[in-house]
Every structure is written in structure tokens, then in C-alpha cells.
Amino acid sequence: MNQAGRRHEKRAGDRAGYRAGGSRAGAVALLLAGAMTLTACGAGSGSDGTPDLSSGSRKGQSSTGGGQPAPDAVAPETGRSAAPEGDAESGASAAPDVKAPDYLSTFALDVDTASYGYARRTLGDGRLPAAEDVRPEEFVNSFRQGYERPQGNGFSVNVDGARMGSGKGGDGGTGASDWSLLRVGLATKTAPPASERPPAALTFVVDISGSMSETGRLDLVRKSLTILTDELRDDDSLSLVTFSNEAETRLPMTRVKGNRNRIKDVVAEMEPAQSTNVEAGITRGYEESVEGHREGATNRVVLLSDALANTGDTEAEGILKKIDSARREYGITLFGVGVGSDYGDAFMEQLTNKGDGNTTYVGDETQARKVFVDQLPAHLEIRARDAKAQVAFDRKNVQQFRLIGYENRKVADEDFRNDSVDGGEVGPGHTVTALYAVRLREGASGTVAKATVRWLDPKTRKAEEETGTVTTGAVDTTLWGGENDRLQVAAVAAYFADHLRGGDLPGAPGLGELASRASGLAESTEDSAVEKLATAIGQADRLQRGAGADDEPEPSEGEIG
């Protein structure tokens, strides 16, 4: 089935689900129509009575007392009903089998960008990316946002937004009139000069399987490692492991000083071999990293592969179980660099998520230089471990909301302060953006949401938190044509991703309009990355029109998502 066919089948199934939902009992239907919440949370949690904290910063509570969500944005005695005051007497709450709507959204932070990089490569090859390979948060996080950064370690929390528009004359897309876009932006302190960062002990695990013989794979890996060798400091260390059907150590942990030419020679000798045993490569890589572990240094395994595993254990969880003790005891993190026109994007993301790391995609030498030169400190160091965010929406003002993306980074609300539950790892100079589609209640005034980020200091393992709040006044401006160019860029990227996976976000402009907006934003921001975004959207628009994209409107009632 072609891409358009898969999208049509998915939407048809979604519509069938909506129709089936219409036959529920009247009490349930009333509750859904009046109080349905679009939430990214995997599990709801009742208010625990924790008092609201007005301070913008507070110390974290350890997990010894069990996991707890952040305080809700309303007084605990209001309970979990989504209906405004007075609606409770309608009888809609009489259905005991319907769980009250949840007004918390909790997720692990993610700084990955591979999904966007691979989508650009795929579109450039004249193909639409598979819907399952499109992760909106990675599209959004591929662009600068201009957030205020903290003075010290930890995060700044920036929360803002805008109205999506009236939905008339192409102003905001269909159904945008009563929706806003909320942006939660988290940022770490800018990376220090290369001379001030801790030394690095890096173990490179390189895929030399037969599939890596294609142009733009192993040859690009060689160029990338050669570039990196020139960028590393004299006091950094490097080891090299290759794998095909088996793994081999090509270079034990070696100081860079006096050995740059030796390292380059080993890199140049790599040639494609047989099948892809990622399990063997990662296992040997972690063994080498433990053997060459350096106290006080950043110890990291870097996997360079097309991630098309076909030998040994091909499941991410099974592979990482084998090196779990080394990963935890020595604090070794995993950085994935994807290559190739056919790339196991989902597999690589699973590996790095479970391996306390992040992933990116390199499609050409320009991108390789960006990763291994411009962004090197952010990819080497860790500023925050197990970082999670929780957004508490004020039920008095918010009727519905949806987190755009982050589906596979969900965390149960009650595990927000459970520090044994895995979060995301964030380096210096990173920003993390989460966008929400938010439908405000009529006459809404006051707090819209409170965003809290929690993380562990990578050295002391002490938990810390930072909080930011946004009010209705901060989301009243119009999104399109406003002064906040960076918010518009984030919106374009999110809507683009949603289109590619056949989504139905409220207020979504068509691809043609998105391409035009991206071109205008590229000019106003003078950002070449935004110009490339405009090009990618134009390519997708032409491909979708050629495939006969289904533009049938979505249902106007019930839950979306």
C-alpha cells in the first residue's frame, strides 16, 4: 500500500472510531461533549493536596517517599472534574465508570533531532517518510528558539503562546478560532569554550556491515571521524570498535595527543563486511568503555550505524539489558548517529532513549561538521540526567489540550518525582520545546498552565526543579504575522510533522501555506535552517498532491487524538 493509501486507511479507521463513540450512553456522551480533555499523559492521577508553590524555583523532593506529580494549577478541593462550576449538577457526573479528565501532562525530555534529519533526506530522495518515523518533537527541536538561558547549571523555563487565528482566509487553518498554541521552552546554559569542558573518553562503535557500503554511509562515517579527530583536545581519549556479524576492537582507549595520525589510519582502514550485529557491537563497545573508563571525564559510547540490525539480538531492550550494569555503575551514556537512505530510525531512538542518551542523523558532510564541530560539546557533556517535565493546566480556564509529539516519552503523572523512573539526558546549550494545542474556555482569564522541570545533577545526583507559569494574557496575540518569529518556526515545524503522519491538529494550515510561511520566516530570521525547512515542506506538498492526499474534514465533535 502506498503512503497516501496508508494515511487514508488510518483516517477511515479513526472516523469509524468517532462514529462508534457516538452510540455511548447519554450520560457518558454529555460528559465527553462538555469536558473531554486531550492529554498526552499515559496515566491520570488525582490531586494529592500538595500546595501550590509560587516561587519560580524550588528544590526537588527525593523519590524516597514515592513518586509524586507536581502541584496542580488549581486548588485540590476542586477535584478532577473538567466541567466549569455549575455543570456538575447536570447529572453528567453520575456515570461511575468514566474516569474524570486529567489536567496533568508528564513526559521525559528529548533533545533528539534524527527524525527531522532523516525526513529531509527521504524527501530529497523523492519519497514521503513513513508516518511511524515522524516524531514532531524532533522536528521542533531541530530549530533555534532564542530562549533566555539560566545563569548557572540546570534549566530556564520559558512559557508563552498565541492564538492560532480565526480560521478564515487562510489565517490559521480549519477549526482554529478557539484554539491556542502553547510553547513550553526549556534551556540549559550555553556550552563553555572547548578548552573549559571536561576531558572526554569516547568509544566509537562503527557499523561496517554490507548495507554500509552504500554511498553516504561508511564513507560519511570515515569523514565524520576524521573531522572529529581534528576537533578533539590532546587530553581526550578515543577507542574504536567495528562490527558486522561480529565485533572487533580496532583501537583500545588511546589519548589523542601524539596519536591523531594513528587514529586517522585506523579509521581509513574500515571496509564493509557482512551482516549487522548491533548487539555484538554495543556489547564490545561498553566493554571497551569500561576498560578505558576515566574518572572526571565524560565517558560515552558513540554508535554510528544505519541501525538495520539483522543478526543477534535485534531488540533495543534486550541489547541494553546485557550492558545495564556497566551503563549504570559507570554512568556511560550512548549517543547515536544515524546514516543512510534506509535507516532504522525507530530502533536507534529506542537504543539511545534506554541508553541514557540522544540521537541525531547525518546525511552529508555539512551535517557531519555541524554535529562533530559546532555541536560537539552538547553531544559530549551531560548537564542534566533523568530530566522530566510536567505541565499542570488550570481546569477553570482550559477545556482541552494536546501535547504535540512525545508519544514514546510519556511518564505517568505519579512518577514525576520518582527518580528511579528514567527521564532524558540534556547537555550544555541544548533547548527542549514542547508545544500544546490548547482550547480555552469561553471567558477564560488568569492562569493557563504551570510548567515544572525536574532533573538530577549529573555529579551529585541531587534532584532540582524549576517552574514557569503562563496566563491567558500571554496567549492572546495572533500566531501568524506576529512578532515572535521563533514561535512561528516551531509551529510550522510541528504542523509539518503532523501532516506527514496524517494527523489532524486543530488550526493546521495546508502544506502550501506552511511552505510560504517558512520562506517568509527564513527571510525575517536570516536562518538557513528555516529555508531548508521551507524546501522540505514544498517537496512534501508536491509528493502528497501527486499521491492524491485525502483532505476530507475530520469530525467536529468528541475527542481528538
Side-chain angles (χ1 to χ4, degrees), residues 191-197 233 377 381:
S195 60
E196 296 180 14
R197 68 167 172 81
R233 295 194 321 228
E381 291 186 70

Side-chain angles (χ1 to χ4, degrees), residues 81-350:
S81 173
E85 288 185 26
D87 286 4
E89 297 178 1
S90 67
S93 60
D97 59 330
V98 178
K99 192 172 185 178
D102 185 356
Y103 274 69
L104 289 174
S105 172
T106 311
F107 58 95
L109 269 55
D110 190 354
V111 296
D112 294 350
T113 59
S115 176
Y116 174 66
Y118 183 46
R120 277 187 55 213
R121 166 68 184 264
T122 304
L123 290 165
D125 289 343
R127 298 178 289 125
L128 288 167
E132 60 268 22
D133 289 337
V134 176
R135 292 183 291 280
E137 68 274 17
E138 298 188 19
F139 278 54
V140 173
N141 285 326
S142 296
F143 298 93
R144 296 198 304 271
Q145 293 296 308
Y147 299 136
E148 179 181 349
R149 295 189 180 270
Q151 295 299 313
N153 292 329
F155 291 89
S156 64
V157 181
N158 308 264
V159 194
D160 61 2
R163 290 278 184 175
M164 291 182 181
S166 65
K168 299 178 181 179
D171 189 35
T174 304
S177 58
D178 55 351
W179 287 84
S180 296
L181 194 69
L182 186 73
R183 179 175 62 166
V184 178
L186 310 172
T188 56
K189 186 179 178 182
T190 304
S195 60
E196 296 180 14
R197 68 167 172 81
L202 307 176
T203 298
F204 288 89
V205 178
V206 179
D207 183 351
I208 60 167
S209 61
S211 62
M212 291 290 287
S213 61
E214 175 193 306
T215 301
R217 298 195 186 194
L218 189 56
D219 61 322
L220 185 55
V221 170
R222 292 194 201 97
K223 289 179 182 177
S224 299
L225 290 180
T226 299
I227 291 169
L228 179 66
T229 301
D230 288 330
E231 290 298 314
L232 291 175
R233 295 194 321 228
D234 285 350
D235 60 343
D236 292 328
S237 301
L238 182 152
S239 64
L240 180 64
V241 170
T242 59
F243 68 92
S244 54
N245 58 319
E246 295 180 346
E248 177 185 357
T249 300
R250 299 293 187 98
L251 184 72
M253 193 63 73
T254 302
R255 289 292 176 103
V256 172
K257 183 178 181 179
N259 290 297
R260 294 183 196 272
N261 289 335
R262 178 189 174 194
I263 293 169
K264 291 179 181 178
D265 288 344
V266 173
V267 168
E269 291 169 359
M270 295 188 301
E271 294 293 339
Q274 302 176 38
S275 54
T276 311
N277 191 338
V278 176
E279 175 194 3
I282 290 181
T283 302
R284 176 65 68 86
Y286 271 84
E287 289 172 352
E288 289 295 329
S289 187
V290 169
E291 181 70 22
H293 184 269
R294 291 174 58 184
E295 291 292 335
T298 300
N299 295 272
R300 192 150 218 199
V301 171
V302 183
L303 173 64
L304 299 102
S305 173
D306 59 15
L308 301 175
N310 56 24
T311 304
D313 194 335
T314 58
E315 298 294 328
E317 189 167 351
I319 291 172
L320 290 173
K321 277 183 179 178
K322 295 177 174 61
I323 50 86
D324 188 65
S325 60
R327 178 171 64 91
R328 294 183 180 277
E329 182 178 349
Y330 291 91
I332 299 168
T333 55
L334 179 63
F335 176 39
V337 180
V339 296
S341 57
D342 289 321
Y343 163 55
D345 177 61
F347 177 61
M348 181 72 90
E349 193 219 12
Q350 291 166 9

Side-chain angles (χ1 to χ4, degrees), residues 341-416:
S341 57
D342 289 321
Y343 163 55
D345 177 61
F347 177 61
M348 181 72 90
E349 193 219 12
Q350 291 166 9
L351 279 173
T352 55
N353 282 353
K354 294 177 182 293
D356 296 333
N358 57 292
T359 183
T360 191
Y361 179 84
V362 171
D364 53 37
E365 188 171 345
T366 299
Q367 290 176 318
R369 289 189 179 277
K370 181 178 179 181
V371 170
F372 292 112
V373 178
D374 301 341
Q375 301 174 343
L376 182 61
H379 290 313
L380 293 187
E381 291 186 70
I382 298 294
R383 280 283 172 84
R385 282 188 178 272
D386 290 324
K388 310 183 191 86
Q390 185 167 87
V391 182
F393 289 90
D394 189 329
R395 71 187 68 251
K396 299 191 303 295
N397 292 316
V398 175
Q399 181 176 338
Q400 296 174 293
F401 66 94
R402 178 199 287 175
L403 175 60
I404 303 174
Y406 289 94
E407 287 88 357
N408 61 354
R409 303 293 278 162
K410 295 174 185 176
V411 174
D413 296 336
E414 61 269 24
D415 285 334
F416 178 62

Side-chain angles (χ1 to χ4, degrees), residues 470-538:
V470 64
T471 64
T472 51
V475 298
D476 274 345
T477 57
T478 301
L479 173 62
W480 304 118
E483 296 182 357
N484 196 332
D485 288 344
R486 289 296 169 181
L487 175 58
Q488 294 180 61
V489 170
V492 169
Y495 281 130
F496 177 37
D498 194 63
H499 269 290
L500 290 176
R501 61 179 190 172
D504 56 353
L505 277 175
L511 286 177
E513 182 181 340
L514 283 177
S516 175
R517 292 197 181 282
S519 293
L521 290 166
E523 186 174 337
S524 62
T525 60
E526 299 182 342
D527 188 341
S528 61
V530 183
E531 183 60 44
K532 292 173 183 176
L533 172 63
T535 299
I537 297 172

